[in-house]
Amino acid sequence: MKKITTATLRKMKQDGDKISTITAYDASFAKIFDQAGIHAILIGDSLGMVLQGQEDTLPVNIEHMVYHTQCVNRGVTKTLIISDMPFMSYATKEQAYSNAAKLMQAGASMVKLEGGEWLVDTIKGLVERGIPVCAHLGLTPQSVNVFGGFKVQGREKSQADEMIAHARLLEEAGAQLLVLECIPSKLGKAISEAVSIPTIGIGAGKETDGQILVMHDALGISCSYMPKFSRNFLIDTGDIKKAVELYISEVSNGNFPGNEHIFN
C-alpha cells in the first residue's frame, strides 16, 4: 500500500470507500496498526485520560503531544498521522501557527483543532502556511466544562443546523478532514452530505465517510468504561493485529458501527 495522504482519503470518499482511523501514542502500537492497514492514526489528547489517568483532556500540553507524535512517527511507514492541538494551544492565530509547526516537525502530516466558526481565520492561516487541518465538531472534549459533561450534541434542530453551517465554513476555510463526535446518526449523515471533505465519525452513526476509535476502547483495555459508540474487537480475535484488521473490515463492509453504537 502506498503512503496515505489527504488526497487518498478524499478519493476514498468520492469512491464510497470507508476510512478507518484509530488513536495511538507510541511506536509499537503504531507499527502494528500501520501493518494492519489502518488509513490514519490520531495522536489524540485523549492520552491525558488513557495514559495519564486524568479525568479529561485539559491537562495535556503541546510538549506531551510533540513527544507522542515523535514516538508514533517512528512506527509508521504508510499511515497518515494526525496530531491533536491540545487545550488552549491555538487560542490565537500566532499560538496556532507556532504549535502546529512543532507537531508537523515532530512527524504529523495534519493537525486537528476543536471548534466551529471561530476557527475559520486560524484554519485559513494554517493552510496558507502549508499545514493541513482536520476540524472537529460535535462533542469537543476540550469544551467539556462548557457542555456540562460528555454529552451528545446536536439533538435540537437549531443546534444541528448550526453545526451543518459550521462544517461548510470550516471546509471553505481549508479544512481537509472533519471529525464528528457524539451526534445523532441523522446529523452525521447530513453533515457528510453537506461537505465534500471526508467526515470521520465517533458516535456519529454509520453514514459518515469513516470511523475513529480510541485504541484502548477498540482493544477492550480502557480502565474506566466502554463508551456506547465503541466495540471491543480484541475479544473477537485474541490478537491485536487481527483485532485492528477486523475493525477495518467491519467499517469497510458497514457492520460497524451497528445500531447499538449510534445515537438517535
Side-chain angles (χ1 to χ4, degrees), residues 214-239:
V214 173
M215 59 164 278
H216 292 67
D217 295 337
L219 300 178
I221 55 175
S222 292
C223 59
S224 53
Y225 75 102
M226 179 68 75
K228 172 184 172 67
F229 51 74
S230 193
R231 171 178 158 188
N232 180 352
F233 289 89
L234 183 60
I235 201 170
D236 296 318
T237 62
D239 178 272

PDB file of all heavy atoms in Angstrom, residues 214-239:
ATOM      1  N   VAL A 214     -10.782   5.270  19.968  1.00  0.00           N
ATOM      2  CA  VAL A 214      -9.633   5.284  20.866  1.00  0.00           C
ATOM      3  C   VAL A 214      -9.138   3.833  20.975  1.00  0.00           C
ATOM      4  O   VAL A 214      -9.933   2.919  21.198  1.00  0.00           O
ATOM      5  CB  VAL A 214     -10.024   5.845  22.243  1.00  0.00           C
ATOM      6  CG1 VAL A 214      -8.869   5.705  23.236  1.00  0.00           C
ATOM      7  CG2 VAL A 214     -10.454   7.306  22.117  1.00  0.00           C
ATOM      8  N   MET A 215      -7.846   3.639  20.795  1.00  0.00           N
ATOM      9  CA  MET A 215      -7.309   2.272  20.739  1.00  0.00           C
ATOM     10  C   MET A 215      -7.621   1.472  21.998  1.00  0.00           C
ATOM     11  O   MET A 215      -7.895   0.271  21.929  1.00  0.00           O
ATOM     12  CB  MET A 215      -5.800   2.272  20.491  1.00  0.00           C
ATOM     13  CG  MET A 215      -4.962   3.004  21.508  1.00  0.00           C
ATOM     14  SD  MET A 215      -3.187   2.598  21.446  1.00  0.00           S
ATOM     15  CE  MET A 215      -3.166   1.063  22.381  1.00  0.00           C
ATOM     16  N   HIS A 216      -7.632   2.131  23.150  1.00  0.00           N
ATOM     17  CA  HIS A 216      -7.915   1.424  24.396  1.00  0.00           C
ATOM     18  C   HIS A 216      -9.342   0.879  24.420  1.00  0.00           C
ATOM     19  O   HIS A 216      -9.596  -0.181  25.007  1.00  0.00           O
ATOM     20  CB  HIS A 216      -7.680   2.349  25.589  1.00  0.00           C
ATOM     21  CG  HIS A 216      -6.234   2.705  25.797  1.00  0.00           C
ATOM     22  ND1 HIS A 216      -5.532   3.481  24.902  1.00  0.00           N
ATOM     23  CD2 HIS A 216      -5.366   2.378  26.795  1.00  0.00           C
ATOM     24  CE1 HIS A 216      -4.291   3.626  25.335  1.00  0.00           C
ATOM     25  NE2 HIS A 216      -4.160   2.962  26.477  1.00  0.00           N
ATOM     26  N   ASP A 217     -10.267   1.574  23.786  1.00  0.00           N
ATOM     27  CA  ASP A 217     -11.641   1.086  23.681  1.00  0.00           C
ATOM     28  C   ASP A 217     -11.738  -0.050  22.675  1.00  0.00           C
ATOM     29  O   ASP A 217     -12.378  -1.077  22.927  1.00  0.00           O
ATOM     30  CB  ASP A 217     -12.580   2.222  23.266  1.00  0.00           C
ATOM     31  CG  ASP A 217     -12.686   3.319  24.310  1.00  0.00           C
ATOM     32  OD1 ASP A 217     -12.416   3.040  25.492  1.00  0.00           O
ATOM     33  OD2 ASP A 217     -13.037   4.462  23.944  1.00  0.00           O
ATOM     34  N   ALA A 218     -11.100   0.124  21.522  1.00  0.00           N
ATOM     35  CA  ALA A 218     -11.157  -0.899  20.467  1.00  0.00           C
ATOM     36  C   ALA A 218     -10.505  -2.211  20.900  1.00  0.00           C
ATOM     37  O   ALA A 218     -10.861  -3.279  20.396  1.00  0.00           O
ATOM     38  CB  ALA A 218     -10.483  -0.375  19.199  1.00  0.00           C
ATOM     39  N   LEU A 219      -9.573  -2.127  21.859  1.00  0.00           N
ATOM     40  CA  LEU A 219      -8.885  -3.321  22.331  1.00  0.00           C
ATOM     41  C   LEU A 219      -9.376  -3.770  23.702  1.00  0.00           C
ATOM     42  O   LEU A 219      -8.830  -4.707  24.302  1.00  0.00           O
ATOM     43  CB  LEU A 219      -7.369  -3.080  22.374  1.00  0.00           C
ATOM     44  CG  LEU A 219      -6.718  -2.730  21.032  1.00  0.00           C
ATOM     45  CD1 LEU A 219      -5.229  -2.454  21.213  1.00  0.00           C
ATOM     46  CD2 LEU A 219      -6.938  -3.831  19.997  1.00  0.00           C
ATOM     47  N   GLY A 220     -10.403  -3.097  24.223  1.00  0.00           N
ATOM     48  CA  GLY A 220     -11.017  -3.518  25.477  1.00  0.00           C
ATOM     49  C   GLY A 220     -10.133  -3.350  26.690  1.00  0.00           C
ATOM     50  O   GLY A 220     -10.266  -4.097  27.664  1.00  0.00           O
ATOM     51  N   ILE A 221      -9.238  -2.364  26.657  1.00  0.00           N
ATOM     52  CA  ILE A 221      -8.318  -2.185  27.790  1.00  0.00           C
ATOM     53  C   ILE A 221      -8.516  -0.836  28.483  1.00  0.00           C
ATOM     54  O   ILE A 221      -7.656  -0.416  29.259  1.00  0.00           O
ATOM     55  CB  ILE A 221      -6.843  -2.343  27.353  1.00  0.00           C
ATOM     56  CG1 ILE A 221      -6.495  -1.396  26.191  1.00  0.00           C
ATOM     57  CG2 ILE A 221      -6.564  -3.784  26.968  1.00  0.00           C
ATOM     58  CD1 ILE A 221      -5.026  -1.436  25.801  1.00  0.00           C
ATOM     59  N   SER A 222      -9.627  -0.158  28.223  1.00  0.00           N
ATOM     60  CA  SER A 222      -9.911   1.080  28.929  1.00  0.00           C
ATOM     61  C   SER A 222     -10.135   0.783  30.402  1.00  0.00           C
ATOM     62  O   SER A 222     -10.792  -0.203  30.761  1.00  0.00           O
ATOM     63  CB  SER A 222     -11.150   1.768  28.338  1.00  0.00           C
ATOM     64  OG  SER A 222     -10.871   2.238  27.036  1.00  0.00           O
ATOM     65  N   CYS A 223      -9.604   1.653  31.248  1.00  0.00           N
ATOM     66  CA  CYS A 223      -9.662   1.388  32.687  1.00  0.00           C
ATOM     67  C   CYS A 223     -10.931   1.936  33.335  1.00  0.00           C
ATOM     68  O   CYS A 223     -11.171   1.698  34.513  1.00  0.00           O
ATOM     69  CB  CYS A 223      -8.433   1.980  33.386  1.00  0.00           C
ATOM     70  SG  CYS A 223      -8.250   3.755  33.180  1.00  0.00           S
ATOM     71  N   SER A 224     -11.739   2.669  32.583  1.00  0.00           N
ATOM     72  CA  SER A 224     -12.945   3.253  33.178  1.00  0.00           C
ATOM     73  C   SER A 224     -14.200   2.549  32.687  1.00  0.00           C
ATOM     74  O   SER A 224     -14.756   1.691  33.359  1.00  0.00           O
ATOM     75  CB  SER A 224     -13.005   4.757  32.876  1.00  0.00           C
ATOM     76  OG  SER A 224     -12.870   4.991  31.477  1.00  0.00           O
ATOM     77  N   TYR A 225     -14.637   2.868  31.472  1.00  0.00           N
ATOM     78  CA  TYR A 225     -15.856   2.246  30.948  1.00  0.00           C
ATOM     79  C   TYR A 225     -15.790   2.197  29.430  1.00  0.00           C
ATOM     80  O   TYR A 225     -14.970   2.882  28.806  1.00  0.00           O
ATOM     81  CB  TYR A 225     -17.087   3.024  31.406  1.00  0.00           C
ATOM     82  CG  TYR A 225     -17.294   4.329  30.663  1.00  0.00           C
ATOM     83  CD1 TYR A 225     -18.238   4.441  29.645  1.00  0.00           C
ATOM     84  CD2 TYR A 225     -16.531   5.460  30.968  1.00  0.00           C
ATOM     85  CE1 TYR A 225     -18.423   5.625  28.958  1.00  0.00           C
ATOM     86  CE2 TYR A 225     -16.711   6.651  30.286  1.00  0.00           C
ATOM     87  CZ  TYR A 225     -17.651   6.728  29.289  1.00  0.00           C
ATOM     88  OH  TYR A 225     -17.822   7.912  28.607  1.00  0.00           O
ATOM     89  N   MET A 226     -16.647   1.375  28.833  1.00  0.00           N
ATOM     90  CA  MET A 226     -16.714   1.271  27.382  1.00  0.00           C
ATOM     91  C   MET A 226     -17.799   2.212  26.863  1.00  0.00           C
ATOM     92  O   MET A 226     -18.973   2.027  27.183  1.00  0.00           O
ATOM     93  CB  MET A 226     -17.027  -0.158  26.963  1.00  0.00           C
ATOM     94  CG  MET A 226     -17.133  -0.338  25.444  1.00  0.00           C
ATOM     95  SD  MET A 226     -15.575  -0.140  24.566  1.00  0.00           S
ATOM     96  CE  MET A 226     -14.772  -1.703  24.970  1.00  0.00           C
ATOM     97  N   PRO A 227     -17.442   3.234  26.075  1.00  0.00           N
ATOM     98  CA  PRO A 227     -18.453   4.136  25.533  1.00  0.00           C
ATOM     99  C   PRO A 227     -19.463   3.382  24.663  1.00  0.00           C
ATOM    100  O   PRO A 227     -19.131   2.357  24.055  1.00  0.00           O
ATOM    101  CB  PRO A 227     -17.640   5.117  24.680  1.00  0.00           C
ATOM    102  CG  PRO A 227     -16.242   5.018  25.205  1.00  0.00           C
ATOM    103  CD  PRO A 227     -16.082   3.601  25.659  1.00  0.00           C
ATOM    104  N   LYS A 228     -20.665   3.912  24.587  1.00  0.00           N
ATOM    105  CA  LYS A 228     -21.729   3.299  23.789  1.00  0.00           C
ATOM    106  C   LYS A 228     -21.301   3.108  22.337  1.00  0.00           C
ATOM    107  O   LYS A 228     -21.666   2.112  21.704  1.00  0.00           O
ATOM    108  CB  LYS A 228     -22.985   4.192  23.845  1.00  0.00           C
ATOM    109  CG  LYS A 228     -24.117   3.790  22.901  1.00  0.00           C
ATOM    110  CD  LYS A 228     -25.262   4.787  22.960  1.00  0.00           C
ATOM    111  CE  LYS A 228     -26.331   4.538  21.907  1.00  0.00           C
ATOM    112  NZ  LYS A 228     -27.068   3.281  22.111  1.00  0.00           N
ATOM    113  N   PHE A 229     -20.514   4.054  21.815  1.00  0.00           N
ATOM    114  CA  PHE A 229     -20.181   4.041  20.391  1.00  0.00           C
ATOM    115  C   PHE A 229     -18.998   3.124  20.054  1.00  0.00           C
ATOM    116  O   PHE A 229     -18.606   3.023  18.905  1.00  0.00           O
ATOM    117  CB  PHE A 229     -19.876   5.461  19.893  1.00  0.00           C
ATOM    118  CG  PHE A 229     -18.865   6.210  20.727  1.00  0.00           C
ATOM    119  CD1 PHE A 229     -17.519   5.897  20.674  1.00  0.00           C
ATOM    120  CD2 PHE A 229     -19.270   7.233  21.566  1.00  0.00           C
ATOM    121  CE1 PHE A 229     -16.589   6.576  21.432  1.00  0.00           C
ATOM    122  CE2 PHE A 229     -18.350   7.932  22.330  1.00  0.00           C
ATOM    123  CZ  PHE A 229     -17.009   7.600  22.267  1.00  0.00           C
ATOM    124  N   SER A 230     -18.432   2.468  21.062  1.00  0.00           N
ATOM    125  CA  SER A 230     -17.245   1.664  20.812  1.00  0.00           C
ATOM    126  C   SER A 230     -17.551   0.170  20.836  1.00  0.00           C
ATOM    127  O   SER A 230     -18.643  -0.255  21.180  1.00  0.00           O
ATOM    128  CB  SER A 230     -16.159   2.000  21.839  1.00  0.00           C
ATOM    129  OG  SER A 230     -14.924   1.452  21.438  1.00  0.00           O
ATOM    130  N   ARG A 231     -16.532  -0.615  20.475  1.00  0.00           N
ATOM    131  CA  ARG A 231     -16.659  -2.068  20.464  1.00  0.00           C
ATOM    132  C   ARG A 231     -15.288  -2.677  20.721  1.00  0.00           C
ATOM    133  O   ARG A 231     -14.273  -2.185  20.210  1.00  0.00           O
ATOM    134  CB  ARG A 231     -17.196  -2.533  19.095  1.00  0.00           C
ATOM    135  CG  ARG A 231     -17.171  -4.051  18.885  1.00  0.00           C
ATOM    136  CD  ARG A 231     -17.759  -4.412  17.530  1.00  0.00           C
ATOM    137  NE  ARG A 231     -17.307  -5.717  17.074  1.00  0.00           N
ATOM    138  CZ  ARG A 231     -17.547  -6.221  15.853  1.00  0.00           C
ATOM    139  NH1 ARG A 231     -18.241  -5.511  14.989  1.00  0.00           N
ATOM    140  NH2 ARG A 231     -17.101  -7.412  15.510  1.00  0.00           N
ATOM    141  N   ASN A 232     -15.253  -3.719  21.510  1.00  0.00           N
ATOM    142  CA  ASN A 232     -14.026  -4.445  21.805  1.00  0.00           C
ATOM    143  C   ASN A 232     -13.779  -5.458  20.685  1.00  0.00           C
ATOM    144  O   ASN A 232     -14.425  -6.507  20.620  1.00  0.00           O
ATOM    145  CB  ASN A 232     -14.144  -5.140  23.154  1.00  0.00           C
ATOM    146  CG  ASN A 232     -12.894  -5.913  23.542  1.00  0.00           C
ATOM    147  OD1 ASN A 232     -11.980  -6.061  22.746  1.00  0.00           O
ATOM    148  ND2 ASN A 232     -12.872  -6.423  24.763  1.00  0.00           N
ATOM    149  N   PHE A 233     -12.841  -5.156  19.801  1.00  0.00           N
ATOM    150  CA  PHE A 233     -12.536  -6.050  18.689  1.00  0.00           C
ATOM    151  C   PHE A 233     -11.528  -7.125  19.084  1.00  0.00           C
ATOM    152  O   PHE A 233     -11.437  -8.164  18.422  1.00  0.00           O
ATOM    153  CB  PHE A 233     -12.008  -5.247  17.494  1.00  0.00           C
ATOM    154  CG  PHE A 233     -13.058  -4.424  16.815  1.00  0.00           C
ATOM    155  CD1 PHE A 233     -13.327  -3.130  17.235  1.00  0.00           C
ATOM    156  CD2 PHE A 233     -13.801  -4.944  15.767  1.00  0.00           C
ATOM    157  CE1 PHE A 233     -14.303  -2.364  16.617  1.00  0.00           C
ATOM    158  CE2 PHE A 233     -14.781  -4.198  15.134  1.00  0.00           C
ATOM    159  CZ  PHE A 233     -15.034  -2.899  15.564  1.00  0.00           C
ATOM    160  N   LEU A 234     -10.781  -6.883  20.152  1.00  0.00           N
ATOM    161  CA  LEU A 234      -9.787  -7.864  20.588  1.00  0.00           C
ATOM    162  C   LEU A 234     -10.440  -9.125  21.136  1.00  0.00           C
ATOM    163  O   LEU A 234      -9.921 -10.233  20.959  1.00  0.00           O
ATOM    164  CB  LEU A 234      -8.869  -7.235  21.650  1.00  0.00           C
ATOM    165  CG  LEU A 234      -7.718  -8.103  22.154  1.00  0.00           C
ATOM    166  CD1 LEU A 234      -6.780  -8.507  21.010  1.00  0.00           C
ATOM    167  CD2 LEU A 234      -6.939  -7.380  23.250  1.00  0.00           C
ATOM    168  N   ILE A 235     -11.597  -8.971  21.773  1.00  0.00           N
ATOM    169  CA  ILE A 235     -12.272 -10.122  22.357  1.00  0.00           C
ATOM    170  C   ILE A 235     -12.708 -11.120  21.281  1.00  0.00           C
ATOM    171  O   ILE A 235     -12.865 -12.313  21.538  1.00  0.00           O
ATOM    172  CB  ILE A 235     -13.486  -9.666  23.210  1.00  0.00           C
ATOM    173  CG1 ILE A 235     -13.880 -10.745  24.206  1.00  0.00           C
ATOM    174  CG2 ILE A 235     -14.668  -9.270  22.333  1.00  0.00           C
ATOM    175  CD1 ILE A 235     -14.890 -10.294  25.230  1.00  0.00           C
ATOM    176  N   ASP A 236     -12.878 -10.628  20.039  1.00  0.00           N
ATOM    177  CA  ASP A 236     -13.298 -11.494  18.935  1.00  0.00           C
ATOM    178  C   ASP A 236     -12.131 -12.215  18.273  1.00  0.00           C
ATOM    179  O   ASP A 236     -12.339 -13.171  17.521  1.00  0.00           O
ATOM    180  CB  ASP A 236     -14.029 -10.667  17.871  1.00  0.00           C
ATOM    181  CG  ASP A 236     -15.315 -10.064  18.394  1.00  0.00           C
ATOM    182  OD1 ASP A 236     -16.046 -10.769  19.108  1.00  0.00           O
ATOM    183  OD2 ASP A 236     -15.589  -8.881  18.084  1.00  0.00           O
ATOM    184  N   THR A 237     -10.910 -11.738  18.525  1.00  0.00           N
ATOM    185  CA  THR A 237      -9.763 -12.261  17.782  1.00  0.00           C
ATOM    186  C   THR A 237      -8.648 -12.811  18.670  1.00  0.00           C
ATOM    187  O   THR A 237      -7.941 -13.738  18.255  1.00  0.00           O
ATOM    188  CB  THR A 237      -9.155 -11.158  16.899  1.00  0.00           C
ATOM    189  OG1 THR A 237      -8.673 -10.093  17.732  1.00  0.00           O
ATOM    190  CG2 THR A 237     -10.185 -10.602  15.917  1.00  0.00           C
ATOM    191  N   GLY A 238      -8.455 -12.216  19.851  1.00  0.00           N
ATOM    192  CA  GLY A 238      -7.359 -12.645  20.718  1.00  0.00           C
ATOM    193  C   GLY A 238      -5.992 -12.220  20.239  1.00  0.00           C
ATOM    194  O   GLY A 238      -4.965 -12.652  20.775  1.00  0.00           O
ATOM    195  N   ASP A 239      -5.945 -11.349  19.230  1.00  0.00           N
ATOM    196  CA  ASP A 239      -4.681 -10.899  18.653  1.00  0.00           C
ATOM    197  C   ASP A 239      -4.845  -9.430  18.247  1.00  0.00           C
ATOM    198  O   ASP A 239      -5.823  -9.076  17.575  1.00  0.00           O
ATOM    199  CB  ASP A 239      -4.323 -11.756  17.434  1.00  0.00           C
ATOM    200  CG  ASP A 239      -3.057 -11.310  16.752  1.00  0.00           C
ATOM    201  OD1 ASP A 239      -3.135 -10.433  15.856  1.00  0.00           O
ATOM    202  OD2 ASP A 239      -1.976 -11.820  17.105  1.00  0.00           O
TER     203      ASP A 239
END
